[in-house]
Amino acid sequence: MRASGLAARHTITDADFQKFAEFFYRKTGIHFDDGKRYFVDKRLVERIEATGAENFRAYFVGLRFEADGAEMQHLINAMTVNETYFFREAYQFDCLVNDILNEVARRKRPGSRIRIWSIPSSTGEEPYSIAIYLLERWALIDDYEVEILSSDIDTEVLASAQRGCYSARSVGQLPQAYLRKYFTPHGPHEWRITRDLVDSVEFSRVNLSEPADTRRFRDIDVVFCRNLLIYFDDLSRRVAAEALYDALSPGGFICLGHSESMSRMSSLYTVRRFADAMVYQKPLEA
């Protein structure tokens, strides 16, 4: 038996860890290997104590058979990692306004809708970065009805995104002119984003591994799905890639994180290399 270094009455054994990891994987597509053992054990013990369960077994039985899914959502919130900031990997935003959206617009009439989906939303830095880029740097922004959707499996970060309050570190990459234009000081070390930007993004809870959650997303022109699939195993990545493919319009684009490669997940997409970034496209004839 392997102890987690936590209180003995809440020790997570190897068998407990494997049982939980398999259950969590089936529910979310997120794979925990032994390298994540301390992180998982610590969060599990926190949830056992928060619920007042006697031990892991009692907690796990209650988790599996709860009717409303409330504790499962608390657990998901505890187990997901959210680390981001404004204008992260900005070269893809450059690609969005310099090439991708212009190509999308050529296939549409002026005044028609362009849909952009950011998943995971985390605490909102990515979808709000997209909104700022469009307002500041896409010349055709007034000619189309742009809809920005943003989703996450973690309800706590979605609530944080809708509050729109950010640390100095989170806004540290923003040009000062943008900071002054789109944010107001909120306390000594925080900034609050303008209500207009908050209202420009539609937030929702989505589990990318759950077909019922992704089925309602269709006719998407651009997807940003960055640094999420690194937490999935090969099977879950393929499932996610197919779900995103179904969500995209023919000719739609998907941007992944710099360490991710769609070519290793799915053969459904075409690689597109633009001046600022390499992205992936759903074929036009799909």
Side-chain angles (χ1 to χ4, degrees):
M1 181 183 294
R2 175 182 167 188
S4 66
L6 301 162
R9 71 189 183 94
H10 291 318
T11 294
I12 309 299
T13 68
D14 289 345
D16 293 339
F17 175 79
Q18 292 301 325
K19 188 182 299 184
F20 169 75
E22 290 170 8
F23 171 79
F24 198 78
Y25 169 75
R26 290 196 305 272
K27 290 290 187 179
T28 67
I30 297 172
H31 172 67
F32 291 129
D33 58 23
D34 285 339
K36 296 286 187 180
R37 179 66 189 268
Y38 180 78
F39 170 83
V40 172
D41 284 10
K42 184 174 185 293
R43 298 302 192 275
L44 268 176
V45 169
E46 289 171 354
R47 292 313 307 162
I48 291 170
E49 293 178 346
T51 58
E54 183 179 351
N55 51 35
F56 170 81
R57 183 179 183 279
Y59 174 77
F60 192 60
V61 169
L63 181 70
R64 290 175 59 207
F65 293 104
E66 68 172 346
D68 61 4
E71 177 54 27
M72 186 65 201
Q73 186 60 60
H74 285 303
L75 186 62
I76 287 171
N77 293 354
M79 291 290 176
T80 49
V81 178
N82 300 282
E83 180 69 23
T84 187
Y85 50 87
F86 281 87
F87 285 20
R88 184 180 186 181
E89 297 179 11
Y91 63 90
Q92 290 184 330
F93 302 137
D94 292 332
C95 186
L96 177 71
V97 297
N98 292 335
D99 292 296
I100 291 174
L101 285 178
N102 294 329
E103 185 167 320
V104 169
R106 284 196 291 271
R107 299 195 297 269
K108 296 178 180 283
R109 296 179 186 153
S112 59
R113 185 176 62 174
I114 292 176
R115 308 186 84 199
I116 302 172
W117 186 20
S118 165
I119 180 171
S121 73
S122 188
T123 45
E125 287 90 338
E126 181 173 277
Y128 293 140
S129 292
I130 292 169
I132 292 170
Y133 250 78
L134 296 185
L135 290 168
E136 294 292 331
R137 300 192 44 192
W138 192 43
L140 301 179
I141 183 64
D142 293 329
D143 296 336
Y144 295 88
E145 180 188 343
V146 180
E147 186 177 66
I148 301 176
L149 313 172
S150 194
S151 307
D152 205 290
I153 196 173
D154 185 334
T155 55
E156 290 181 359
V157 299
L158 287 168
S160 178
Q162 290 171 302
R163 285 193 297 270
C165 290
Y166 296 98
S167 67
R169 178 191 174 279
S170 184
V171 300
Q173 300 297 317
L174 283 169
Q176 286 298 306
Y178 294 177
L179 187 62
R180 291 190 297 269
K181 185 173 182 178
Y182 295 107
F183 295 79
T184 56
H186 183 69
H189 304 293
E190 277 195 335
W191 294 82
R192 183 186 290 276
I193 202 163
T194 64
R195 179 49 50 181
D196 284 346
L197 277 185
V198 173
D199 292 342
S200 74
V201 180
E202 180 182 328
F203 290 97
S204 62
R205 183 198 175 276
V206 168
N207 180 348
L208 196 51
S209 296
E210 177 52 61
D213 285 2
T214 59
R215 199 173 292 124
R216 67 180 185 271
F217 290 86
R218 292 295 183 266
D219 302 320
I220 306 295
D221 296 295
V222 185
V223 170
F224 278 79
C225 184
R226 307 192 299 177
N227 306 309
L228 170 64
L229 302 182
I230 55 175
Y231 299 104
F232 290 16
D233 70 352
D234 289 344
L235 176 59
S236 295
R237 289 188 190 108
R238 286 196 296 273
V239 170
E242 290 170 5
L244 295 172
Y245 183 89
D246 290 341
L248 283 168
S249 297
F253 295 90
I254 181 167
C255 300
L256 300 180
H258 73 275
S259 65
E260 299 169 306
S261 171
M262 185 63 78
S263 302
R264 292 197 293 266
M265 304 178 207
S266 171
S267 60
L268 292 171
Y269 297 84
T270 301
V271 177
R272 292 292 305 276
R273 290 178 172 84
F274 294 107
D276 297 301
M278 182 180 76
V279 299
Y280 303 90
Q281 185 176 29
K282 180 175 180 176
L284 274 167
E285 61 274 14

